[in-house]
Amino acid sequence: MTILTDSTAPEASDLSLVGGKALGLARMTAGGIPVAPWLTVSTRVHRAFLEQTQLNLRIERVINAIDWSSQDSLADAERQIAAIFAETPVPSDIAEDVVAGYRGLAERLGVPELSVAVRSSATAEDTADSSFAGEYETYVGITGAEQVVEYVKLCWASGFTAHALAYAHDRGFSPLAVSMAVVVQKTVKARAAGVMFTLSPATGDRSRIVVEASWGIGLAVVGGEVTPDRYAVDKVSLTILDRIPGDKKIEYLDGQTSTPVDDARQAQLCLSDSEVLELARLGKALEKQQGGPQDIEFAIDRELADGANIILLQCRPETVWSTRKRAAAAALPLMDQVAASVFGLGKPGSADSAGSAGSPGKRAFVLTEVGHAH
Amino acid sequence: MSTSDHFPFIREFQPPAGAEGWERMYPYFLTSQPEGEQLEDERLWFADTMHWSRAVYPLDSIGAEAVYLGAGQNSARIFALPTSLGLDMRVVNGYVYISPTGITDPDVINERLVHFQERAGYYFANWEELYEQWKNKMTSVVEAMRGIDFPALAEYEPIEVVTEARGRSTAWDLIASYHKLIDDFFVAWQYHFEFLNLGYGGYITFFQTCKQFFPEISDQSVARMVAGVDVLAFRPDDELRGLARKAVELGVDSIVSSGDDPAAIIASLRDSENGRAWIDALETAKDPWFNYFAEYGFLHDQDTWLSNPSIPFAGIARYIEMLQGGEEIARDVAKLRTERDAIVAEYRGLLAEDEAAQFDGMLQLARTVFPFIEEHNIYVEHWTHSVFFQKLRELSARLVEVGFFADAEDMYLLNRIELDEVLADVVQSHVIGVPARGVQKWRAEVAERKGMMTALRSQAAAPALGTPPAEITDPFAIMNYGVTTERIRDWLGQSSGEGALTGAAASPGVVEGMARVILTEKDLPQLQPGEILVAPITAPSWGAAFSVASAVVTDIGGMMCHAAIVCREYGLSAVVGTGFATSRIKTGQRIRVNGDDGTVTIIGEAEEAA
């Protein structure tokens, strides 16, 4: 298997085969976190491409000539290697595999002209840092099989930008030692999107989940251009306590321009109860997994079937309340506690108490760039 | 109509036509007197329709005395609650109104706090042992009342008076027994409050702990964490379920659920061995579990399951029907407990370690005190009252027997002090050997008072009177009666009679359905499956109704009233403490009950009710 479409297959979790980014996606999926559907063009395809086209040798010659102390020399190398890639077509058997993979994905999702992001997912043996986060290119808004093949090749080429060359050199390995898998992932077509906090932003109450959402992609919510609908959910019983319609005058359907929302949809809640509850369930699970309250960005994909249309885009530890020490838990004598609680005499707890035990180790993970169209 | 800043004043609150002069029916100190007028204007008085859902007969007003004596002495004098004395009480147009008495002077508060800590601390430290003692005290007082005898007034005293050289007549026992009955009743109510406010205090402490950790936590979530799933409060209804199951097992279910008069059902059951076996089971269940009021047992004309067997029989018949339909009728205690523990574990899991330790301690406290809160009604409001009113019926029968009253109901139109005078008249004139002197006087008065009572009962209670404080702080008014600052504001705004009714969201869920307004337990059989029960207040003895109704709405009550507790157990949506539900909603109207936000909306006009 060179094109991996099943995130549950053992190969999908083989770092040397899929690279850091795809491994992250597989792990999130395994952990019950819904991300946009994807396939991975494995590192085997990358190897096969380099070998069949003999690009290895040509690139090696360019690299050997680099003066590592000169930015100009690095930029020149980048240009040369890019030109080499540009004039080298993808061999037909490899291209056919990628085309078949892309078409299969489109068919599986029932979206004929599937728009995708094409994302580098690199790995290198003997390197401590195998994620290469942000080192290599991602291209968004790509449509059509031939385009996808072209952009897969561009991802491979992005292993040899001036920046990537210097990055490898500084860490003591050859840029050619990097194996480059490529993730081809559905572009999220958000019907609605927004943010979810697994506590109450107003009071810090950890038994609450608050969801804010508006029409279109998340830009309008994050940028404060609309008053989003607001949903309050009881985290314990998973029941919706409150649905407050916002003022959703505009929506972004892509990353560029906003369009007005008609009156009927302005007043209509943009999430169904079942979507809110499913989000809350995910939020609750993520909080458990991450060991503390989370701040999560999500989208509801309009092209995917109900029940499989929630996509999480980003997840960070909540910082405002989670880092605040709660004045509580001073072990007051029982009767003082009673006097304080029932009659408001004295203060329940005391301010100099130990407070909360801090937040256990948390890491943010970015699920996919809510990007600008390419 | 604009929202006023106060409710009608007691002094200007007019009685309904035909009830003029009603005040003279009650002991003078229960009604408004000149000394109290300023206090009455300045303070808030709310109707205690939780205990007295209808205008009280003069004799029944003893209940109001006993309740607020017991509450007052325990708050003000025994445990010295730092910020409040007792609840002041007035009878207004036959309804009982109460008013919290707050303390604001910091020096007084501090002085009382010292006493409170010592006294309440002793009870909290020894709660379980003292509660066991309490049960014994209660059982003893109920037994003592049960043993009270009102002898017939005989032409000749029994010979034993002579042979045992007693020197006192059995006729005197009519007076002595009456005094003893009144005394025991007052004592039972002092016991009632021995633990109640402290119990609520323990619960409120846990409640506040939860609010501190989870500022937005709902009252019902807190209540769910402490609710006893296996307490005496559910026992009477569980007995009915058991009797239904037994009837099916013995094959006598069709007879038991025939809907006939209970006496006729018993008669036909006697014809078979299995029938007799079922009667045995019924007799076993009756004592003490049928000493059970279908409403709060504060009015002599309220039925118990003993005095009106058709109430428990209707309940049994409903359960038989469910069994025949293949439904499971047992309350799944294990499942309820598992659910409760899961909720607790979830909340606890959201806390840091030291917070969790505090949470555990307070939960422990709440769970220690809560059984009393849930169970005490069985001992006092049901057992004590059932026996008390039974004894009054025996006394009334004697007074009819000697020709003082024409009808057994007449005695209740006298208050307890007037009745003491009548007994003095009856016994003294009997032993002297002359006719009683007050027959004509009292028969004329009784005739007039009957009309007054009818007039008073034709009018619903206004939920509140007088001037509300800026902020309701009395913890027990809030907890027990659901009288909160917000609720008072709602009631003030509601005078206009428009918009949705608001109350306390006592049990979650949104339900739409047809309303059935039930003012007394006698109307309970009218409740059809799926209808929404609208009542001044419900009592746990309406167990069968909870299996039929789709939701519950009440005029009065807070998160801890029985409707709230039982609805949470049964998983029924409920809004309590709406103030005006029974007067604004008509049977047959479609209403929406939102147990999540505490609103009740009329969404359709009355169709032809079944």
Side-chain angles (χ1 to χ4, degrees), chain A:
Chain A
M1 273 308 286
T2 52
I3 307 285
L4 305 173
T5 54
D6 176 5
S7 69
T8 63
E11 291 95 341
S13 299
D14 178 344
L15 179 65
S16 68
L17 208 52
V18 301
K21 194 165 279 178
L23 179 62
L25 290 172
R27 282 188 180 156
M28 282 186 247
T29 305
I33 299 163
V35 294
W38 83 97
L39 61 81
T40 311
V41 179
S42 72
T43 53
R44 286 195 196 122
V45 183
H46 181 224
R47 287 275 154 241
F49 169 76
L50 293 176
E51 282 159 19
Q52 284 183 37
T53 55
Q54 300 288 303
L55 282 188
N56 276 4
L57 306 171
R58 298 171 64 188
I59 293 168
E60 201 162 5
R61 276 198 293 277
V62 175
I63 290 173
N64 288 340
I66 292 174
D67 169 3
W68 293 100
S69 63
S70 156
Q71 282 300 325
D72 286 349
S73 171
L74 280 167
D76 192 41
E78 173 179 341
R79 268 195 302 280
Q80 287 182 55
I81 296 173
I84 293 169
F85 267 92
E87 70 194 27
T88 309
V90 178
S92 60
D93 61 324
I94 293 175
E96 276 164 25
D97 277 358
V98 174
V99 166
Y102 166 78
R103 292 206 171 125
L105 181 66
E107 213 162 292
R108 183 153 61 84
L109 301 178
V111 184
E113 282 299 287
L114 183 68
S115 166
V116 291
V118 179
R119 317 168 66 191
S120 311
S121 178
T123 177
E125 282 175 42
D126 313 322
T127 55
D129 176 6
S130 56
S131 72
F132 299 94
E135 277 312 304
Y136 308 117
E137 284 301 333
T138 282
Y139 303 94
V140 299
I142 314 299
T143 309
E146 287 69 26
Q147 287 291 90
V148 170
V149 173
E150 274 314 298
Y151 281 99
V152 167
K153 193 172 72 168
L154 282 176
C155 282
W156 292 332
S158 76
F160 306 99
T161 60
H163 190 273
L165 291 167
Y167 179 86
H169 181 77
D170 290 350
R171 281 161 186 72
F173 60 86
S174 159
L176 280 164
V178 175
S179 298
M180 183 79 80
V182 180
V183 168
V184 177
Q185 186 172 30
K186 182 186 187 305
T187 303
V188 176
K189 297 286 173 133
R191 181 200 82 215
V195 292
M196 161 164 63
F197 301 92
T198 67
L199 49 62
S200 162
T203 65
D205 188 326
R206 292 203 43 194
S207 68
R208 289 279 175 274
I209 289 175
V210 173
V211 176
E212 292 189 338
S214 190
W215 297 114
I217 64 174
L219 272 182
V221 176
V222 176
E225 292 178 75
V226 292
T227 306
D229 295 340
R230 190 184 178 94
Y231 307 82
V233 181
D234 179 348
K235 193 191 286 177
V236 173
S237 63
L238 284 173
T239 50
I240 300 176
L241 302 169
D242 225 346
R243 307 166 187 76
I244 304 162
D247 184 7
K248 310 182 287 295
K249 286 196 180 342
I250 57 148
E251 63 183 331
Y252 285 88
L253 293 173
D254 58 38
Q256 317 290 28
T257 49
S258 64
T259 47
V261 172
D262 65 61
D263 289 355
R265 276 170 72 243
Q266 278 185 33
Q268 190 193 336
L269 288 169
C270 67
L271 298 181
S272 70
D273 280 4
S274 61
E275 285 163 349
V276 172
L277 289 174
E278 183 53 33
L279 276 166
R281 265 190 287 276
L282 287 166
K284 196 169 165 176
L286 271 177
E287 174 178 276
K288 242 196 180 72
Q289 213 176 66
Q290 302 292 304
Q294 299 292 302
D295 161 353
I296 297 158
E297 288 180 26
F298 67 89
I300 310 288
D301 193 304
R302 65 170 177 267
E303 291 177 327
L304 296 176
D306 276 358
N309 57 351
I310 292 177
I311 305 295
L312 298 193
L313 307 173
Q314 186 159 310
C315 172
R316 287 182 293 264
E318 189 280 342
T319 50
V320 177
W321 289 98
S322 307
T323 52
R324 189 178 296 195
K325 289 230 181 294
R326 203 155 28 192
L332 279 181
L334 173 66
M335 288 312 300
D336 289 342
Q337 192 72 43
V338 172
S341 295
V342 184
F343 307 107
L345 302 172
K347 273 210 181 71
S350 74
D352 60 0
S353 65
S356 69
S359 344
K362 294 173 184 174
R363 51 188 185 84
F365 54 84
V366 174
L367 306 176
T368 183
E369 296 79 359
V370 187
H372 297 280
H374 186 67

Side-chain angles (χ1 to χ4, degrees), chain A residues 200-208 210 232 234-237 239-241 243 284 287-288 326-346 348-350 353-358, chain B residues 81-84 109-110 113 116-118 120-122 124-125 200-202 204-206 208-209 212-218 221 224 342-343 346-347 349-355 358 361-362 365 473 475-476 596-597:
Chain A
S200 162
T203 65
D205 188 326
R206 292 203 43 194
S207 68
R208 289 279 175 274
V210 173
D234 179 348
K235 193 191 286 177
V236 173
S237 63
T239 50
I240 300 176
L241 302 169
R243 307 166 187 76
K284 196 169 165 176
E287 174 178 276
K288 242 196 180 72
R326 203 155 28 192
L332 279 181
L334 173 66
M335 288 312 300
D336 289 342
Q337 192 72 43
V338 172
S341 295
V342 184
F343 307 107
L345 302 172
S350 74
S353 65
S356 69
Chain B
L81 303 187
T83 58
S84 52
I109 290 175
N110 281 330
L113 180 59
F116 172 75
Q117 297 235 6
E118 178 191 358
Y122 178 79
F124 283 131
Y200 279 130
I204 290 170
T205 305
F206 173 63
Q208 298 284 13
T209 302
Q212 190 186 333
F213 294 143
F214 307 107
E216 297 175 42
I217 196 169
S218 70
S221 297
R224 261 197 226 134
I343 291 170
E346 284 227 29
Y347 279 107
L350 297 170
L351 296 171
E353 218 169 302
D354 51 353
E355 292 172 337
Q358 192 192 357
M362 293 304 142
L365 171 68
T473 54
F476 308 115
D596 301 328
D597 70 6

Side-chain angles (χ1 to χ4, degrees), chain B residues 26 33 36 99 231 269 282 301 308 337 376 452 487 551:
Chain B
Y26 302 95
Q33 300 298 328
S99 177
V231 287
L269 284 169
L282 174 71
D301 55 351
N308 182 0
R337 190 171 291 124
H376 74 275
M452 283 188 197
R487 191 76 49 245

Side-chain angles (χ1 to χ4, degrees), chain B residues 82-221:
Chain B
T83 58
S84 52
L85 300 169
L87 289 153
D88 199 2
M89 184 260 297
R90 294 283 185 281
V91 175
V92 183
N93 292 352
Y95 286 93
V96 178
Y97 283 80
I98 52 179
S99 177
T101 313
I103 298 175
T104 50
D105 181 339
D107 293 339
V108 180
I109 290 175
N110 281 330
E111 182 186 317
R112 291 177 67 84
L113 180 59
V114 174
H115 292 298
F116 172 75
Q117 297 235 6
E118 178 191 358
R119 293 163 178 228
Y122 178 79
Y123 264 68
F124 283 131
N126 301 288
W127 189 277
E128 268 137 347
E129 185 191 339
L130 297 179
Y131 183 32
E132 282 310 308
Q133 283 179 25
W134 183 89
K135 290 181 195 172
N136 292 334
K137 284 189 305 204
M138 274 315 303
T139 315
S140 306
V141 83
V142 172
E143 279 312 307
M145 284 167 89
R146 220 199 280 259
I148 288 173
D149 181 43
F150 294 112
L153 296 177
E155 188 66 22
Y156 302 102
E157 284 285 328
I159 188 68
E160 291 78 14
V161 174
V162 177
T163 57
E164 293 170 11
R166 288 183 201 166
R168 81 201 270 282
S169 66
T170 54
W172 178 251
D173 286 341
L174 210 55
I175 289 173
S177 294
Y178 176 68
H179 289 174
K180 178 152 177 27
L181 180 67
I182 299 297
D183 189 48
D184 285 345
F185 184 76
F186 271 93
V187 167
W189 270 98
Q190 293 176 58
Y191 291 159
H192 175 280
F193 283 99
E194 184 187 358
F195 285 80
L196 193 66
N197 284 356
L198 299 185
Y200 279 130
Y203 176 77
I204 290 170
T205 305
F206 173 63
F207 181 86
Q208 298 284 13
T209 302
C210 289
K211 284 272 182 205
Q212 190 186 333
F213 294 143
F214 307 107
E216 297 175 42
I217 196 169
S218 70
D219 299 7
Q220 59 201 18
S221 297

